[in-house]
Amino acid sequence: MPAYFHNPVASHFGAGSLNRIVELTEGQTVALVIFPEARALGLLARIEALLGERLVHIVEDVQPNPDVAHLRATYETFWREAGACETVLAVGGGSAIDTAKALMVGTASGRFDELLGLLAAGKPFTPPRCKTLIAAPTTAGTGSEVTPWATLWDAGAQKKYSLHLDCTWPKAALIDPELMLTVPAGVTVSTGLDALSHALEAIWNVNANPLSDTFAISAIEDILDCLPRLRGDLENPDLRARMALAALKAGMAFSNTKTALAHSISYEMTLRHGLPHGIACSFTLPHVLGLAWGRDAVRDQTLQRVFGADLHQAQARLRHFLHSLGVKTEFSDYGVTEEEAGAMIRHALQGARGKNFIGSQAA
């Protein structure tokens, strides 16, 4: 079958990759977006030493699930104080990279509400100015370092916005497993399950093709084997490297397919029930696997390369995997009734990500 795969991000993988920021930003001024704990970990000081005088602005009050109420002041300060910088360097998990993507897209007025209005309209737009992005993930899971998408939240209005422009593709991704050695167990599991979700969602996807499948299958096999062992041996550099590579492969897979139903469900679970993103998009995976099975013969063959030919055994394996990591897999476990769950799934199928699901048209 014809296949097309496109990813413009120059990906650098391996221990010490963070040091590449020196050559990648040569002759440029840089604004840094980084997570709050980086200062205590010594990571901020390391980056300051690497960049020296070319580092002209630092944002270090990144919040989980970046919310528009907090982003507004950060955005306007950024464009007022660092509007002349050429590159934004994002170091952290998905929230740091998504924050950087929001900051780098400049409006004509320099006001955040103008950007928010464009996002709310849901139509493509070309910003009058945009920075270059380099992303260095400190967790194995986000995929944001090799995709153009950022999710912004409005908890007050119970909404979420998806930012994706040609200019929000990172110029480079620096995947350095050494940056992940201090990630605690809970975050390691949650972000690892986000990567698993990315890979599975890339398979049961109307945009899937043999090239994205290659990345997705390899990522799933590695995560199923590696994540439980890493949870019990957090300082193991080899396991950290395996998970970092698996997350990168999952990111490459869904960079071409986008996500699907499990992610569409997750947005409401995060907004209304406060679930961390990695849990919100992974606890439904056994259920969504059942909804995907039998919809498309080629997709079934791809799933069966990982799980075998028996659906019930496949679901049981995935459910046991999640349970072994302390993740409950029923809506009722999170205070959602059966009726509410059904309505949530039907609503999720109508969303942009839900329509990528191979079973959406039959639902």
Side-chain angles (χ1 to χ4, degrees):
M1 62 176 289
Y4 173 75
F5 189 93
H6 171 72
N7 189 295
V9 183
S11 298
H12 305 265
F13 177 85
S17 294
L18 182 65
N19 295 333
R20 300 295 296 270
I21 61 174
V22 176
E23 61 191 87
L24 289 172
T25 62
E26 185 176 3
Q28 302 169 21
T29 51
V30 180
L32 172 65
V33 179
I34 197 164
F35 59 104
E37 298 83 1
R39 183 178 291 274
L41 292 170
L43 180 57
L44 178 55
R46 178 184 169 190
I47 294 170
E48 288 176 323
L50 286 169
L51 292 179
E53 293 183 355
R54 72 183 75 171
L55 181 59
V56 296
H57 188 77
I58 300 174
V59 175
E60 55 182 313
D61 60 342
V62 169
Q63 296 184 334
N65 302 324
D67 193 281
V68 298
H70 179 260
L71 281 172
R72 183 173 287 104
T74 304
Y75 179 95
E76 293 178 6
T77 299
F78 170 82
W79 281 98
R80 186 172 60 250
E81 298 182 359
C85 80
E86 294 144 299
T87 297
V88 175
L89 170 64
V91 180
S95 294
I97 301 173
D98 283 4
T99 296
K101 288 178 180 176
L103 297 182
M104 65 187 278
V105 178
T107 58
S109 65
R111 298 185 61 82
F112 181 73
D113 285 342
E114 183 181 345
L115 175 61
L116 202 59
L118 292 167
L119 294 177
K123 298 178 181 179
F125 66 94
T126 300
R129 45 190 176 162
C130 196
K131 306 300 183 185
T132 296
L133 176 64
I134 297 172
T138 57
T139 61
T142 172
S144 191
E145 73 277 5
V146 289
T147 71
W149 303 298
T151 300
L152 309 181
W153 303 84
D154 187 342
Q158 291 285 284
K159 294 180 179 180
K160 73 97 185 173
Y161 301 96
S162 181
L163 170 64
H164 51 97
L165 303 170
D166 288 343
C167 71
T168 52
W169 281 100
K171 171 188 175 183
L174 310 177
I175 300 93
D176 188 339
E178 290 183 341
L179 301 180
M180 304 171 190
L181 288 170
T182 58
V183 178
V187 178
T188 297
V189 168
S190 180
T191 54
L193 292 177
D194 191 16
L196 177 65
S197 302
H198 292 154
L200 283 167
E201 297 260 86
I203 292 177
W204 54 53
N205 199 300
V206 297
N207 302 306
N209 64 59
L211 297 174
S212 60
D213 283 348
T214 299
F215 285 112
I217 291 169
S218 181
I220 294 165
E221 292 173 340
D222 283 347
I223 294 167
L224 292 177
D225 176 64
C226 183
L227 186 55
R229 292 199 282 146
L230 176 57
R231 185 193 186 206
D233 191 6
L234 294 171
E235 296 181 5
N236 186 311
D238 293 333
L239 292 177
R240 286 291 185 187
R242 281 192 66 194
M243 270 304 301
L245 183 57
L248 174 61
K249 288 185 285 190
M252 295 295 285
F254 92 97
S255 75
N256 275 246
T257 65
K258 305 179 183 178
T259 52
L261 179 58
H263 271 72
S264 190
I265 295 170
S266 79
Y267 301 133
E268 192 162 352
M269 290 299 295
T270 294
L271 276 171
R272 302 189 186 282
H273 298 274
L275 265 65
H277 176 67
I279 307 303
C281 66
S282 64
F283 86 95
T284 60
L285 291 176
H287 181 66
V288 178
L289 176 62
L291 297 177
W293 203 279
R295 300 293 187 184
D296 181 283
V298 175
R299 299 295 89 213
D300 282 354
Q301 290 174 3
T302 305
L303 289 168
Q304 288 167 15
R305 287 172 61 184
V306 177
F307 294 108
D310 186 287
L311 170 59
H312 295 295
Q313 289 184 9
Q315 287 179 296
R317 179 186 176 191
L318 196 49
R319 196 174 290 114
H320 173 75
F321 172 78
L322 291 164
H323 290 172
S324 74
L325 295 170
V327 177
K328 298 177 180 180
T329 53
E330 302 299 327
F331 279 97
S332 58
D333 295 322
Y334 302 97
V336 180
T337 67
E338 185 176 345
E339 182 180 0
E340 290 171 329
M344 191 180 297
I345 292 171
R346 289 191 295 273
H347 176 73
L349 283 165
Q350 301 308 309
R353 295 296 181 259
K355 291 177 181 178
N356 293 331
F357 180 60
I358 55 174
S360 63
Q361 293 182 347

